[in-house]
Each structure stands twice: as structure tokens, then as C-alpha cells.
Amino acid sequence: MGADSICIKDMAGILTPKVAKELIPAIKAVIDVPLNIHTHATSGVSQMTYMAAIEAGADIIDCAISPFAEGTSQPPTESMALVLEELGYSTGLDIAKLEEIADYFKPIRDKYLASGVLDPKMLSVDPKALIYQVPGGMLSNLNSQLKQAKASDKYEAVLREVPRVRADLGFPPLVTPMSQMVGTQAVFNVLTGERYKMVPNEVKDYLHGKYGKTPVPVDDEFRRSIIGDDAVITDRPADYLEPEFDRLKAELGDLARTDEDVLTYALFPQVGKAYLQEVYYPTIPEEQTEIKAPSPGETTEAVIRIQARYRS
């Protein structure tokens, strides 16, 4: 297929050393390109998994610089490099440079921790990830959603609800967009106090078959409770899509200067069009004038902001 490498992407951090020792040799036996292992430190087994993976023949591992490592991120680059060099593996990494990079990012991490943008909870280990099998990015999104809803105390309840929702939906893989869909539905189920009282349109589309065949058949009674007796697509969903490239190109008008522009608009209609507008016709707000009214005896001061619109 022309691939330069193959990556085992363990987005939930649930790949264990035992499984790595079994999986990697089996894949290496049938490929001749580098094998990359990507895991997250969420469950607390990532470093052990990486060591087992390397011993089993993995060529590449993904790490993160230490200030942003661990938790829902990856194992620390510096630690892994030091251990591997000590064991006789050549990483080609300059430890002094890594320390310099880490020192640069430490105050940035502290800034975001202090502001609340970076939640300490996301930097900790949760062995329950091995049970819930929730990806690190999904954990961050769930935590953010609950914070916005002022329901952070429901975090554990939502985590328990995720595998139930996933089972109801036929065990879809928790990668984008299914991770967001399953996570959002779990949040709704917990916050409303009634399962599936609120169902996003994306979940309904999934149950209509618009995302393809589910890994495990969805219970018919459950499906009907969400979408009634609506027809369900059982063949290739894309066969039901009308050709739309030319229509979208016409809608964009002179913003459609490349095929990539049209695809951007197709994927993100509102945001994409606004983005292209700024790319090709950058604008600055029209002239604004602020005048500070003088007190008696003061000199009048006018602050003029000269701004203009530009079109090419």
C-alpha cells in the first residue's frame, strides 16, 4: 500500500506488556517497514509496555517531553531515553538538549495549571482505564464537558457509563468521531438522570447506519427506542450521498481557489468558509474612534484608531 511505517495506536493506554509481546512479533513477521508503538500513560503501565514492546522488536515509541508527560499524555522522553541508553539501545537523542527543552516548557505548564486550563486530574494515573478503556483525549473532553456543566462531581459516574453506552451501540472503537459521540451520550445519560432521554443527532445517524456496520449488532429493541421504525442502512452508506463537489465549489465562489479549499468547506462549512475568507480577504475592523471626555480644566484628548478593510 506504499506505507512508510505502521503504527499500533493505543489511544486508551490499555496495551499491556503481555499483549505487546504477543502482538508485535506477529506483525513484524509479515511487514518490512518500521513498527511504531503509540500508547498513553493513563493506566500506569505505559513504560512497562514500551520496554516489552522494544524487547519484542518495536522500532519506534512515542513519548512526550517531561513537563507535559504522564497522565493522559505519553511517558516522558528523557526518562525513556536514559533507561534505553543504559540498556544498550542507541536513541540518538541529546539528553542535554532534552533538559533544555523541558526547562523551557516547565513555566508554561505551571501557567496553565495555575489558570485551570490544564487540570491536574489529567496528569495523574487512573488504573480504571484498563477497565473503562477510555482514550486519554476522551478523558480530557469528558472532564471539560463536566466542568462547563458545573458537574465535575459526576466524573466517575460518567466513566462508569461509557462502557455501557459503548455496549448499547455495538462496541464501536473509541476513536474520533465515535469517542466524542459515546462520551457525550454518557454525559447526557448521567446529567439528565435518565438514560437516552437526550440523544445527539450524531448518535441517531449512527443508529440509522450512516457510519457503517457496527462491530457487534445493535439490539433491535434498543435501536427502535431511539429512532423508531426508521429505515436502517445495511450496505455502503456512501452510496446514498449525492455528488456535491461542484455544488460546494459554486457555493464558495471565488473562495474555491483549490480543491483543498472545497474540501475544507465540505468538512467544516461554517468555520471553513470563515477561515478561507480570512485567508483570501484578510480584514481588520473598520475605523473606531474613542474620545475621552475632559474634566474641567483638562486638555481634551482624542485617541484615534485608524483601521481599514483590505481586499485583493
Side-chain angles (χ1 to χ4, degrees):
M1 295 176 66
D4 295 312
S5 64
I6 292 176
C7 179
I8 298 174
K9 190 173 189 303
D10 174 30
M11 65 281 179
I14 59 174
L15 181 64
T16 60
K18 178 180 183 297
V19 174
K21 286 182 177 180
E22 297 170 350
L23 180 62
I24 291 167
I27 295 177
K28 290 284 288 186
V30 294
I31 66 172
D32 56 5
V33 294
L35 182 61
N36 180 15
I37 312 300
H38 175 101
T39 192
H40 290 251
T42 317
S43 64
V45 301
S46 57
Q47 285 97 331
M48 291 182 283
T49 297
Y50 272 168
M51 290 307 304
I54 292 167
E55 291 169 356
D59 303 290
I60 305 166
I61 58 172
D62 291 345
C63 300
I65 202 69
S66 57
F68 294 113
E70 299 294 356
T72 57
S73 183
Q74 281 79 43
T77 306
E78 307 96 304
S79 303
M80 291 302 303
L82 285 165
V83 170
L84 290 172
E85 291 284 351
E86 189 178 64
L87 290 171
Y89 294 95
S90 177
T91 65
L93 297 174
D94 185 331
I95 299 299
K97 288 291 185 184
L98 292 177
E99 290 179 350
E100 184 179 338
I101 294 169
D103 289 341
Y104 174 83
F105 281 108
K106 283 176 183 175
I108 297 175
R109 174 202 58 192
D110 294 341
K111 169 188 171 183
Y112 287 118
L113 281 170
S115 67
V117 172
L118 186 59
D119 194 318
K121 185 185 294 184
M122 296 300 102
L123 298 178
S124 61
V125 169
D126 187 357
K128 290 180 181 177
L130 294 169
I131 301 171
Y132 300 138
Q133 301 188 359
V134 178
M138 186 176 173
L139 286 173
S140 301
N141 288 337
L142 290 176
N143 189 57
S144 177
Q145 286 181 328
L146 292 172
K147 267 189 171 182
Q148 292 175 11
K150 300 188 186 304
S152 295
D153 59 312
K154 303 293 185 183
Y155 183 73
E156 292 293 332
V158 170
L159 285 185
R160 289 192 294 271
E161 179 65 9
V162 165
R164 298 179 192 133
V165 172
R166 189 180 179 216
D168 290 340
L169 297 180
F171 292 96
L174 294 181
V175 293
T176 303
M178 290 310 307
S179 57
Q180 288 87 345
M181 291 160 58
V182 170
T184 298
Q185 187 62 66
V187 169
F188 284 171
N189 288 357
V190 170
L191 294 189
T192 62
E194 180 180 339
R195 302 188 79 226
Y196 301 103
K197 181 178 181 179
M198 291 177 60
V199 180
N201 288 332
E202 291 81 2
V203 173
K204 293 178 181 178
D205 285 344
Y206 173 83
L207 292 172
H208 278 109
K210 294 183 180 180
Y211 287 79
K213 184 179 179 181
T214 59
V216 174
V218 174
D219 180 74
D220 287 335
E221 184 177 344
F222 169 75
R223 191 193 302 269
R224 283 194 296 270
S225 71
I226 305 297
I227 64 170
D229 293 322
D230 291 356
V232 177
I233 297 173
T234 56
D235 49 354
R236 185 172 180 266
D239 291 341
Y240 294 85
L241 297 176
E242 294 294 331
E244 57 181 359
F245 187 88
D246 290 337
R247 175 179 63 80
L248 293 171
K249 186 174 182 179
E251 288 180 6
L252 270 182
D254 64 351
L255 294 177
R257 302 190 184 184
T258 67
D259 288 351
E260 286 78 8
D261 292 342
V262 181
L263 294 175
T264 297
Y265 178 56
L267 291 169
F268 311 101
Q270 294 179 335
V271 176
K273 188 172 184 178
Y275 165 75
L276 293 171
Q277 182 74 37
E278 285 298 317
V279 168
Y280 295 126
Y281 299 111
T283 60
I284 303 175
E286 292 180 343
E287 178 181 320
Q288 299 177 11
T289 302
E290 292 182 2
I291 299 179
K292 178 183 177 183
S295 300
E298 285 187 340
T299 302
T300 301
E301 176 187 348
V303 180
I304 310 295
R305 290 180 179 168
I306 306 298
Q307 298 173 330
R309 292 184 180 273
Y310 297 93
R311 285 194 177 272
S312 57

